[in-house]
Amino acid sequence: MKYGVVLFATDETIAPAALGPALEERGFESLFVPEHSHIPVRRESPAPGGGDLPRHFSRTVDVFVTLAVVAATTTRLTLATGVALPAERDVFHTAKQVASLDLVSGGRALFGVGAGWNREEAADHGIDPRRRGRILDEKLAAMARIWADDEAEFHGEYVDFDPVWCWPKPVQSPPPIYVGGDSDAALRRLRDHGQGWLPDSGDAGSYRRVRTWLDDEGRPDVPFTVFGADPDTLDPDGYPEVGVDRITFWVDPGPERDVLTRLDEIAARWLR
């Protein structure tokens, strides 16, 4: 089993240049960094988990800048978006950023993606929130063509371009796309575009249904990464049997000393 960390990168928490080496020194395999371009002040979308939206959601540092700094200060760590919101992003810039991160890190990028929970955020990008899933699917398909083809083209309802040159190409072919969410639409996205599944933490029984469905759909070997588990309460019994090969633990964003103390606690419990 591989073990990683989910941590919001903000202007108020541990710096990426300190975080990456700290994770490697303690034996963690991966870092997953969430993305939000902004948080609308007036919002009807409920916060994940309910209640007030935590402060760190509105103070995120750019995910690719963060991961590039971590790449420069580490040698083994998997560098993951967890999750990025490609529906809100330009398809060419995003394809180039993922490929560039993969190149400069020597093939360590992992592209965790989701449709996003914040409908007002999507609307501010000029996206009809009701269509953000379909837009995401097309952008994933278009990026796959950009990464694979020297002269890439794509013609869809939301993404449409004639042959283009776009380098660099990623080291991994393709960079692994891990799809978040467990809705019917998210699972179809996993089947059609994903190399891995990024579900919220649950018991093994809750993953067995998806494993059976993937087997029936001809995708039996898709690995599962448990996303944002609580290291104090998680019960991983049965995880390997349903295809979980990575567990990522939620770490509260905070000052460097607090984060390092929490990493020590998690490492002592799970990595030693």
Side-chain angles (χ1 to χ4, degrees):
M1 187 71 68
K2 298 173 286 190
Y3 296 100
V5 161
V6 179
L7 179 67
F8 268 81
T10 81
D11 60 333
E12 296 178 325
T13 191
I14 183 172
L19 176 61
L23 291 170
E24 283 198 337
E25 289 166 6
R26 288 160 177 79
F28 290 98
E29 176 269 342
S30 52
L31 169 65
F32 284 70
V33 181
E35 174 178 54
H36 283 282
S37 60
H38 67 291
I39 298 295
V41 173
R42 294 178 177 85
R43 176 177 51 81
E44 295 181 3
S45 300
D52 294 334
L53 190 69
R55 174 184 176 89
H56 54 256
F57 277 83
S58 63
R59 303 192 69 97
T60 52
V61 178
D62 180 85
V63 66
F64 288 105
V65 172
T66 297
L67 292 173
V69 172
V70 176
T73 55
T74 59
T75 59
R76 303 181 307 278
L77 202 66
T78 296
L79 311 164
T81 58
V83 295
L85 305 173
E88 300 177 1
R89 291 175 144 271
D90 177 82
V91 69
F92 295 111
H93 286 153
T94 306
K96 186 179 288 287
Q97 286 175 307
V98 174
S100 297
L101 177 64
D102 202 47
L103 178 68
V104 302
S105 68
R108 293 188 280 142
L110 186 155
F111 194 32
V113 302
W117 60 269
N118 193 328
R119 297 169 68 88
E120 289 76 22
E121 179 182 353
D124 283 350
H125 287 276
I127 295 170
D128 182 343
R130 297 169 297 177
R131 294 181 169 84
R132 66 193 188 279
R134 283 176 280 176
I135 294 170
L136 170 58
D137 290 341
E138 279 202 7
K139 289 188 174 182
L140 292 176
M143 283 188 281
R145 294 268 54 84
I146 292 170
W147 293 329
D149 298 343
D150 286 353
E151 295 186 355
E153 65 178 301
F154 188 88
H155 302 285
E157 181 180 358
Y158 303 103
V159 182
D160 184 62
F161 55 87
D162 289 330
V164 299
W165 294 319
C166 185
W167 268 266
K169 303 302 182 185
V171 174
Q172 302 175 91
S173 184
I177 296 173
Y178 274 55
V179 175
D182 60 2
S183 67
D184 289 344
L187 294 178
R188 288 193 298 270
R189 183 172 303 122
L190 170 62
R191 177 196 63 196
D192 296 340
H193 304 290
Q195 285 75 51
W197 187 36
L198 202 58
D200 291 335
S201 60
D203 60 48
S206 67
Y207 302 149
R208 193 165 287 112
R209 175 184 63 87
V210 175
R211 175 59 63 198
T212 300
W213 179 80
L214 286 169
D215 290 346
D216 292 342
E217 294 293 313
R219 297 293 311 278
D221 299 323
V222 173
F224 295 175
T225 286
V226 176
F227 184 77
D230 183 340
D232 299 324
T233 62
L234 179 70
D235 179 4
D237 184 55
Y239 275 8
E241 288 75 14
V242 295
V244 173
D245 69 358
R246 180 190 289 113
I247 297 171
T248 64
F249 296 114
W250 172 264
V251 173
D252 286 330
E256 181 173 324
R257 178 182 297 178
D258 294 349
V259 171
L260 295 181
T261 298
R262 187 58 170 152
L263 293 180
D264 286 335
E265 294 170 351
I266 297 171
R269 180 167 183 172
W270 290 92
L271 277 66
R272 296 171 187 167

